[in-house]
Amino acid sequence: MREPLIGTYTPSIDAKGRVSFPTKLRDILGPEFYLCMSHDGRYLAVFSVEEFNKYCEKLFEITGTDGEQIRREVFSGAEKQAPDKQGRIFISQNLRERAGIKDEITIIGNLNRCEIWANDKLEATKESVSAEKREAIFANISL
């Protein structure tokens, strides 16, 4: 695995769907990378070419019509990105609508991928794990 993708960034997205993608993340992802809907449809996932290929292999392990539908949802909007000279990428209207992205976004690193969130959706997830549950989860991890 490459260096982990970490950090939180709040770049602007313009009316055309262009975003200045953080340099620290671009340096790790490489000159080209993939955007696609996340498996749960709440955010856009950003993968290096290598990690996207691994993700594709895992998706093709899902058999039957469920697998076909999941792959259809993920791949129908997938886009290969190559940032321009200013480090900007273009997020299509289709992906912005599907992820609920309007104007304010947050990009976070999540080890092997980045996530592009509409700020309101990201805020709503912050309360999804209670303090008690978080404490119980970390109690089982020895650091």
Side-chain angles (χ1 to χ4, degrees):
M1 185 171 120
R2 297 176 183 229
E3 183 178 342
L5 294 156
I6 56 174
T8 301
Y9 308 85
T10 54
S12 298
I13 183 166
D14 69 17
K16 295 180 182 179
R18 294 177 300 190
V19 175
S20 181
F21 205 81
T23 303
K24 289 181 180 181
L25 299 176
R26 286 194 328 261
D27 289 347
I28 297 168
L29 289 166
E32 296 181 322
F33 46 86
Y34 285 90
L35 257 71
C36 63
M37 283 305 300
S38 64
H39 62 280
D40 61 8
R42 297 185 302 162
Y43 59 88
L44 300 178
V46 183
F47 292 99
S48 68
V49 172
E50 176 186 357
E51 289 294 326
F52 187 72
N53 289 333
K54 289 179 189 178
Y55 184 55
C56 291
E57 288 174 13
K58 290 180 182 182
L59 290 177
F60 275 99
E61 291 173 5
I62 305 168
T63 60
T65 56
D66 289 342
E68 288 177 13
Q69 184 58 30
I70 289 169
R71 287 187 296 275
R72 194 173 294 120
E73 289 172 12
V74 171
F75 297 138
S76 66
E79 300 173 350
K80 192 171 191 181
Q81 296 285 327
D84 66 14
K85 291 179 182 179
Q86 289 81 36
R88 296 177 303 186
I89 62 168
F90 171 73
I91 303 173
S92 70
Q93 182 69 28
N94 174 42
L95 283 181
R96 283 181 278 151
E97 286 175 2
R98 289 172 65 188
I101 293 171
K102 293 176 183 68
D103 51 5
E104 294 185 0
I105 63 169
T106 298
I107 300 174
I108 61 173
N110 194 348
L111 296 181
N112 70 331
R113 68 176 184 273
C114 296
E115 299 173 355
I116 302 175
W117 286 85
N119 283 359
D120 57 339
K121 285 189 176 187
L122 181 59
E123 195 61 36
T125 67
K126 291 183 179 178
E127 303 301 322
S128 64
V129 179
S130 69
E132 295 80 21
K133 188 172 184 180
R134 186 180 311 277
E135 189 175 314
I137 290 168
F138 279 102
N140 294 320
I141 298 176
S142 61
L143 299 175

